Amino acid sequence: MRQNIHDLWLNSVFCTGSTKKSMPEVWWRGPGTKAKIHTYTGNAMNTYTGPSYAPASIYILRLRSKDQDTRATVYLHEGSGTSWAFPQLPSDSHVHTLGVGMTSVTLSWAPSAPLKRLHTQRSYDYCVLVNRKHNYRNLCAAQEGIRKEREKDKKREKDKQRKVTVWPILKDWWWQQWDADTELQSPAALRNDYGHLQCVCKGTESVCTVSELVPDTQYYFDVFLIDRLNGTSAAYTGTFAQTHEEARPAITPLREGELRWVTFRDGGSTSGEIFSFRPRGWQQSGLLTLQSCESSEKINITVSSKGKELSSQAVGENLAQIWLQGSPSYLIHLEKEGTAAPRQAAPGVLKASVKMQVSSTYHRQGIPSLPSTLQIKSFNRLRSCESVTLAWMGTEERSLYCVYRQRLGKGGGKKGGTAPCLGPESRSDTERVLCKYFQELNPRRAVTTAVIGGLEPGVAYIFDVYLMRRWGIPIKYSSKTVRTRKEC
């Protein structure tokens, strides 16, 4: 470059992170002395302004990357005064955070002087970029960072499609990269690049709300003022923000052997509750039993520990048993699906969807056995005017069985409900007829009987049998209706 009487303005923009190679350096050699007039080390924009040197007629600009391959864009202006090639930033060139949410961040910055003049607004634009790594000092570096991420994404896609990658000849590839790099040196090429930037906000407004972010994640925000006419840009001082974390659901601790009724709210498509349990003893084992009280609703239960799912299943009117073992604590997540209209509860039925109990199981190796059937049988030949004989299946474990009765009215209607999820705690003591222990090691022969006396002739009764266990909620057998004889 030759200069005689004018001042020299030299702007250099450095972009880190590229893999472009520079052309072989060709040094001018001739008589005379060399004088160093300016040096700069960094990765941002640098401007040198100086007077002309009368004895000198040739200026040499030497660029060297110390850490990695990079690319630099150089602008030269000859003449006195400002070139106005680069946009002017305000005195306060910092990006400010107005608000931070769980998935959005609102930013603001002072407007640039050219954008305050209506006749220059058409050639200027703000571009807001967001990433998770770091802030960029200039748009050139941001473009290189975006290009590098795209290349990584393309490479990952190619690796998925094929395991073996065929590389082109290194020499041809090198020149292709150089040719692509030289095209970006012109303002026209830079103007074309601006159109491909994925700006989350673009225009002349100095406020931007960035949405669709990930909760509890740190993001970096950069604002660039782009002069589309000259193909140049200026960078505001970027900022960063941490989005808020998602609201954690409330976790209710369960006490040892506690019987809990879980009620879900109505009107929503999905609702759930989360509980925690810490078993006692060095075995760290427990038994979780559940039973749904609404046949029209689907209840899903998921048991996890330390972020790992241990069990998942649906819970209905039949008793569900889940064995817990090997973890010091458990998370129990109950979730209701569906939007079925809630049924009107029958008299005496508790307003609940699921009955649940969990307890530590000392000296047990697995889930307790259940009766092979929950049907109650009555013997017609053994039926009298004042008594009936009932039989039901038991288990090989010693357990307590309690029998309850209800007298039907003259019209045959029941006094109260006998829903499967209701246990003996919902029954009156006057309805309890007897309780007995029973155990049979042979499951096929585990049949026990009971003679219920003190009944009225010709009256219908409803009999319920409950299996009272040391672990888990009581098991209710299917109700049995029996009428005593009128005449004996």
Side-chain angles (χ1 to χ4, degrees):
M1 60 186 76
R2 187 176 298 274
Q3 158 126 327
N4 293 325
I5 59 175
H6 300 294
D7 293 342
L8 177 66
W9 295 68
L10 187 62
N11 290 65
S12 301
V13 182
F14 301 92
C15 316
T16 61
S18 175
T19 58
K20 305 295 187 292
K21 302 292 184 179
S22 61
M23 287 288 286
E25 298 176 346
V26 179
W27 297 99
W28 173 81
R29 300 181 182 278
T33 59
K34 296 180 181 179
K36 183 183 295 185
I37 58 177
H38 178 70
T39 59
Y40 169 76
T41 302
N43 60 354
M45 179 181 294
N46 176 252
T47 301
Y48 166 72
T49 304
S52 61
Y53 286 81
S57 59
I58 294 179
Y59 294 88
I60 298 175
L61 174 64
R62 183 182 181 185
L63 305 177
R64 184 178 63 177
S65 176
K66 294 183 177 181
D67 298 330
Q68 57 183 329
D69 296 340
T70 186
R71 182 176 62 133
T73 304
V74 181
Y75 297 87
L76 174 66
H77 167 70
E78 290 182 294
S80 58
T82 306
S83 65
W84 302 107
F86 288 84
Q88 289 181 315
L89 295 180
S91 57
D92 180 14
S93 60
H94 289 78
V95 180
H96 303 281
T97 303
L98 290 183
V100 179
M102 190 170 64
T103 59
S104 63
V105 175
T106 301
L107 309 170
S108 69
W109 56 92
S112 175
L115 285 178
K116 296 180 181 179
R117 300 188 291 268
L118 295 177
H119 66 280
T120 59
Q121 285 187 359
R122 296 182 179 179
S123 61
Y124 286 88
D125 269 330
Y126 291 116
C127 176
V128 181
L129 298 180
V130 56
N131 72 93
R132 300 186 186 183
K133 293 185 176 180
H134 54 77
N135 289 110
Y136 291 103
R137 304 290 295 274
N138 52 68
L139 186 60
C140 180
Q143 288 174 310
E144 286 298 302
I146 295 174
R147 184 191 62 81
K148 193 172 182 180
E149 288 299 322
R150 289 177 179 175
E151 288 182 354
K152 289 182 179 179
D153 294 339
K154 290 180 180 179
K155 185 178 179 181
R156 282 193 290 264
E157 290 297 328
K158 290 182 179 179
D159 292 341
K160 292 180 181 179
Q161 297 175 0
R162 57 182 181 180
K163 296 182 179 180
V164 180
T165 302
V166 180
W167 290 91
I169 301 176
L170 183 60
K171 180 178 178 181
D172 295 339
W173 175 82
W174 189 88
W175 283 108
Q176 289 174 5
Q177 297 299 314
W178 167 251
D179 293 340
D181 187 66
T182 55
E183 293 176 357
L184 298 178
Q185 304 299 322
S186 64
L190 289 173
R191 287 195 294 269
N192 294 334
D193 263 9
Y194 294 156
H196 293 82
L197 285 174
Q198 296 180 350
C199 307
V200 292
C201 290
K202 188 176 182 181
T204 58
E205 297 293 333
S206 58
V207 177
C208 171
T209 298
V210 185
S211 57
E212 298 182 3
L213 302 178
V214 179
D216 195 20
T217 304
Q218 183 164 293
Y219 288 91
Y220 296 85
F221 304 92
D222 294 295
V223 178
F224 302 99
L225 179 59
I226 299 175
D227 184 351
R228 300 191 307 274
L229 183 62
N230 294 316
T232 56
S233 64
Y236 282 76
T237 302
T239 186
F240 62 91
Q242 179 95 6
T243 53
H244 296 166
E245 64 179 357
E246 293 181 299
R248 296 182 178 180
I251 300 178
T252 305
L254 294 175
R255 296 191 299 271
E256 178 72 29
E258 175 188 7
L259 180 63
R260 179 176 289 268
W261 296 84
V262 182
T263 304
F264 298 99
R265 58 182 181 272
D266 297 326
S269 59
T270 302
S271 59
E273 298 285 343
I274 300 180
F275 302 89
S276 64
F277 176 69
R278 291 181 176 273
R280 299 176 181 176
W282 63 271
Q283 292 178 322
Q284 298 180 344
S285 60
L287 178 64
L288 173 63
T289 55
L290 307 98
Q291 192 172 23
S292 175
C293 297
E294 293 288 342
S295 59
S296 61
E297 296 177 348
K298 182 180 180 181
I299 307 297
N300 292 328
I301 177 171
T302 302
V303 180
S304 61
S305 178
K306 298 180 180 179
K308 182 179 179 181
E309 183 177 310
L310 303 178
S311 175
S312 179
Q313 66 181 71
V315 178
E317 290 186 341
N318 295 329
L319 185 73
Q321 299 186 114
I322 299 178
W323 181 251
L324 310 177
Q325 187 174 17
S327 296
S329 63
Y330 300 89
L331 283 182
I332 303 167
H333 184 197
L334 293 178
E335 186 176 18
K336 182 189 73 172
E337 295 183 0
T339 57
R343 298 182 301 177
Q344 185 176 1
V349 178
L350 297 180
K351 186 180 179 181
S353 293
V354 176
K355 181 172 68 172
M356 174 177 60
Q357 185 189 51
V358 62
S359 57
S360 302
T361 52
Y362 307 101
H363 312 297
R364 284 202 64 90
Q365 301 298 325
I367 297 177
S369 60
L370 297 177
S372 58
T373 179
L374 295 179
Q375 300 297 323
I376 301 176
K377 182 178 177 57
S378 65
F379 300 93
N380 188 45
R381 293 183 179 181
L382 300 178
R383 182 168 57 97
S384 67
C385 296
E386 298 180 352
S387 66
V388 296
T389 302
L390 305 177
W392 61 90
M393 298 295 296
T395 66
E396 63 270 23
E397 298 182 5
R398 178 177 170 82
S399 302
L400 179 66
Y401 298 85
C402 293
V403 181
Y404 288 76
R405 73 179 181 186
Q406 277 187 312
R407 185 181 187 277
L408 292 180
K410 294 182 180 180
K414 293 186 293 183
K415 292 182 179 180
T418 56
C421 64
L422 294 179
E425 72 279 352
S426 63
R427 308 296 294 266
S428 172
D429 291 340
T430 59
E431 296 179 345
R432 185 171 65 244
V433 179
L434 61 87
C435 290
K436 58 177 292 188
Y437 283 96
F438 175 76
Q439 179 183 19
E440 174 57 54
L441 298 181
N442 187 352
R444 296 182 179 181
R445 300 176 55 185
V447 180
T448 183
T449 61
V451 178
I452 311 299
L455 306 179
E456 298 179 17
V459 177
Y461 293 89
I462 295 179
F463 295 95
D464 293 310
V465 177
Y466 295 91
L467 169 57
M468 316 293 289
R469 306 182 300 169
R470 182 179 179 183
W471 296 282
I473 59 180
I475 300 175
K476 180 182 179 297
Y477 287 73
S478 300
S479 300
K480 182 67 174 180
T481 302
V482 182
R483 183 182 297 273
T484 57
R485 296 183 184 274
K486 289 185 178 181
E487 298 178 356
C488 296

